[in-house]
Amino acid sequence: MDKRSAEKTVAGGTLPAGGGADQVVPAYRRIANALADRVNLGVYPPGSRLPSGSELCREFGVSPMTVRKAMTILESRGLVAGVKGRGTFARSVDLSDTSFRLDSLTGEWLDETAEIRLLSASMTRADDKVAATLAVAPGDRVIFVRRLVLHNGDPAMYHTEYIVYDPRRPLVESQLQLTSLHAFLDSGRARRFPRGELTLTAVKLDADSARALGESEGDLALCLEHVFQDGSRAPVSWGWFILRAELFRLKARLGPE
Amino acid sequence: MDKRSAEKTVAGGTLPAGGGADQVVPAYRRIANALADRVNLGVYPPGSRLPSGSELCREFGVSPMTVRKAMTILESRGLVAGVKGRGTFARSVDLSDTSFRLDSLTGEWLDETAEIRLLSASMTRADDKVAATLAVAPGDRVIFVRRLVLHNGDPAMYHTEYIVYDPRRPLVESQLQLTSLHAFLDSGRARRFPRGELTLTAVKLDADSARALGESEGDLALCLEHVFQDGSRAPVSWGWFILRAELFRLKARLGPE
DNA sequence: TAGTGGTCTAGACCACTTA
DNA sequence: AAGTGGTCTAGACCACTAG
């Protein structure tokens, strides 16, 4: 249909309702929300097949691509799963589909007052555990770094890291003297290693971490362990952040928006 | 262009290369990965503007919608941010953009051996804290439930929950006698409350939780606090899961795939 | 006014499943 | 052979920004 002869719809969505809608909601979002509601309310019970693409086109009066976009959203939310040639099926979504963003952790305290202090940087030899994690031979040279991040002058997190030594990659010079926290966190990804695996656990402070953070051994903490990798998934850095438990919490939301 | 007269491209992507590509990679994914690499490698430094949609169409030889889809993916990954009328800009992505999925937590131990035990269920009056969280008046009736989830016969998590009492919604009967863990987790969402907010923290066991989990007071644990809401975001249930720390960990991956 | 991101259309083709 | 999900096209229109 040529848009210059459009009658009931415009490109941005449905025409503003007579009542005067405040916000224009895109059609694909309207459809996604409508279908999400039906899944949540049990109109499409877990495991059952949703109406096909063409049926939904008729129901909502939109073109296939628009329905498709809505389905993509629902699929990314884990609400439905599409199967080629068979159909799209409602999933049973539960708590385990929740996803926590780490930025809900940093957002509250990550500001200009954050300061990073280099505690030590040295060359050492990989022990068995380090060698296994970094996929190098035991006894190979690795860089060992310890950093402390302070917030309002107080220790907030303690970072220990082993980095594969590669003379062709002058990491040490450029990375060790970081003073800005943002650059520090940034160094975990943007310019450095595009891939990685992270694990978050609750731990008790060992003697070393406790001393660094100025707390008592055995105190409560979060441990964010990381293995950063290069483009071909070869491990380059292994380490862990020890976070003071009171300062950090992960938040997540269920449901639309 | 009519597809029946296609020459160099087919709908599924580029024509199979002479070498014989194993897997057909959709064009939008190829483009998204290519652009993601450029952002990560600093070809498009943080804050800089990416080539416009039409430029990318020319570069990759695809139609606007395909480029658009790639951009949507990058935006959802937090790698870029589009601004109407101005352009699409590279973001500085760091650790704080990581997102953890709770299913990496349950995946390992959630199976048929999991058992749920109802410890207590009673009607009580909301104290100030409960009233504030559930948006009811202090002294109003609320349902108080305590559950224990066992794995291989051992206590794994302890759940405490306050539920707004609403005689029109016979929650108690249907929810209290759950015996399947899957149905239990499911009850947090699918059929019950479509929305909610979750917070994950590290805590020490209080006397009550320690007794329930068969551990010692002061021991390490994760606390998953939840506020479930109805469709209009009115709180309906407030509670928290106390998780034995050794059994639970959150995992995440950085980068493409 | 020209350019940009964002939305939408009305088709097409493919790979796949089911009958 | 018919139906379905998934991909892609070659346009269009809108809201917005900037020169």
Side-chain angles (χ1 to χ4, degrees):
Chain A
M1 184 211 294
D2 189 340
K3 281 318 181 54
R4 278 168 296 200
S5 64
E7 297 143 13
K8 289 183 59 181
T9 61
V10 293
T14 57
L15 273 178
D22 256 338
Q23 191 80 8
V24 178
V25 178
Y28 71 86
R29 185 165 287 280
R30 264 191 333 110
I31 298 172
N33 288 338
L35 296 178
D37 284 346
R38 293 184 197 174
V39 171
N40 285 326
L41 293 172
V43 180
Y44 306 141
S48 71
R49 222 201 71 180
L50 271 66
S52 73
S54 51
E55 286 173 310
L56 292 173
C57 285
R58 279 197 297 278
E59 175 182 349
F60 291 101
V62 296
S63 88
M65 274 296 273
T66 306
V67 163
R68 203 62 208 47
K69 189 160 185 175
M71 296 306 251
T72 302
I73 292 177
L74 297 182
E75 197 151 5
S76 77
R77 281 200 211 153
L79 270 177
V80 304
V83 184
K84 252 188 191 166
R86 301 218 308 129
T88 303
F89 299 83
R91 284 191 47 198
S92 170
V93 175
D94 56 46
L95 274 185
S96 66
D97 286 291
T98 311
S99 103
F100 292 87
R101 303 215 93 217
L102 203 52
D103 72 300
S104 64
L105 180 153
T106 56
E108 296 168 10
W109 65 278
L110 174 56
D111 52 28
E112 297 73 26
T113 72
E115 177 202 346
I116 169 171
R117 190 173 294 167
L118 182 63
L119 299 183
S120 78
S122 59
M123 189 81 80
T124 180
R125 302 285 177 173
D127 63 20
D128 287 349
K129 169 69 174 160
V130 171
T133 308
L134 292 180
V136 299
D140 277 4
R141 295 183 158 194
V142 291
I143 301 163
F144 177 63
V145 182
R146 289 160 57 240
R147 300 182 177 92
L148 189 64
V149 178
L150 300 99
H151 183 241
N152 289 332
D154 289 328
M157 57 194 218
Y158 173 53
H159 185 210
T160 305
E161 185 178 22
Y162 295 90
I163 308 171
V164 172
Y165 176 66
D166 182 350
R168 292 166 306 180
R169 182 182 50 227
L171 265 182
V172 194
E173 294 77 76
S174 60
Q175 297 294 336
L176 292 186
Q177 295 101 337
L178 291 170
T179 53
S180 140
L181 178 57
H182 206 81
F184 170 61
L185 289 175
D186 210 32
S187 73
R189 181 135 153 65
R191 298 302 194 79
R192 220 163 135 210
F193 318 123
R195 296 162 188 267
E197 288 166 7
L198 300 169
T199 307
L200 187 76
T201 51
V203 297
K204 288 187 178 179
L205 291 180
D206 61 14
D208 183 42
S209 307
R211 199 178 326 112
L213 291 173
E215 306 224 339
S216 308
E217 190 171 345
D219 270 3
L220 201 61
L222 287 173
C223 173
L224 178 64
E225 182 182 350
H226 62 83
V227 177
F228 293 127
Q229 305 160 333
D230 63 16
S232 53
R233 290 228 178 270
V236 184
S237 151
W238 171 49
W240 51 92
F241 298 84
I242 303 293
L243 316 172
R244 276 180 53 196
E246 328 86 72
L247 291 179
F248 299 92
R249 51 184 55 219
L250 287 169
K251 290 180 184 170
R253 309 198 82 168
L254 285 177
E257 224 59 357
Chain B
M1 186 210 294
D2 189 341
K3 280 321 180 51
R4 279 168 296 201
S5 64
E7 297 144 15
K8 290 183 59 180
T9 61
V10 295
T14 56
L15 273 178
D22 255 337
Q23 190 78 10
V24 178
V25 178
Y28 72 88
R29 185 165 286 281
R30 264 192 331 109
I31 297 171
N33 287 339
L35 296 178
D37 283 347
R38 294 184 196 174
V39 171
N40 284 326
L41 293 171
V43 180
Y44 306 140
S48 71
R49 222 201 73 181
L50 270 65
S52 73
S54 50
E55 286 173 309
L56 292 172
C57 285
R58 280 197 297 278
E59 175 181 348
F60 291 100
V62 296
S63 88
M65 274 296 273
T66 305
V67 163
R68 202 64 208 49
K69 189 160 185 176
M71 296 305 252
T72 303
I73 291 177
L74 297 182
E75 198 151 4
S76 76
R77 281 199 212 153
L79 270 177
V80 304
V83 185
K84 251 189 194 165
R86 302 217 308 130
T88 302
F89 298 84
R91 283 192 47 198
S92 171
V93 175
D94 57 47
L95 275 184
S96 65
D97 287 290
T98 311
S99 102
F100 291 86
R101 303 214 93 217
L102 203 52
D103 71 294
S104 65
L105 182 152
T106 55
E108 296 168 10
W109 66 277
L110 174 57
D111 53 28
E112 298 72 27
T113 72
E115 178 203 345
I116 168 170
R117 190 174 294 168
L118 182 63
L119 299 183
S120 78
S122 59
M123 190 81 78
T124 179
R125 302 284 178 175
D127 63 19
D128 287 349
K129 168 69 174 162
V130 171
T133 308
L134 291 180
V136 299
D140 277 5
R141 294 182 157 195
V142 291
I143 301 162
F144 177 62
V145 183
R146 289 162 54 241
R147 299 183 178 93
L148 189 64
V149 179
L150 302 99
H151 183 241
N152 290 331
D154 289 328
M157 57 193 218
Y158 173 53
H159 186 209
T160 305
E161 186 178 22
Y162 295 90
I163 307 170
V164 172
Y165 176 66
D166 181 350
R168 292 167 306 181
R169 181 182 51 226
L171 265 182
V172 194
E173 294 77 76
S174 60
Q175 296 296 335
L176 291 186
Q177 295 101 335
L178 292 171
T179 53
S180 140
L181 178 57
H182 205 81
F184 170 61
L185 289 174
D186 211 31
S187 73
R189 180 133 155 67
R191 298 301 193 79
R192 219 164 136 210
F193 318 122
R195 296 161 189 265
E197 288 166 8
L198 301 169
T199 307
L200 187 76
T201 52
V203 297
K204 288 186 177 180
L205 291 180
D206 61 14
D208 182 42
S209 307
R211 199 178 326 109
L213 290 173
E215 306 224 339
S216 309
E217 190 172 345
D219 269 4
L220 201 61
L222 286 173
C223 174
L224 179 63
E225 182 181 350
H226 62 83
V227 177
F228 293 128
Q229 304 159 335
D230 64 15
S232 52
R233 290 229 177 271
V236 185
S237 152
W238 171 50
W240 52 91
F241 298 85
I242 303 293
L243 316 172
R244 276 180 53 196
E246 329 84 75
L247 291 179
F248 299 92
R249 52 182 55 216
L250 289 169
K251 289 180 185 169
R253 307 198 83 169
L254 284 177
E257 222 62 354

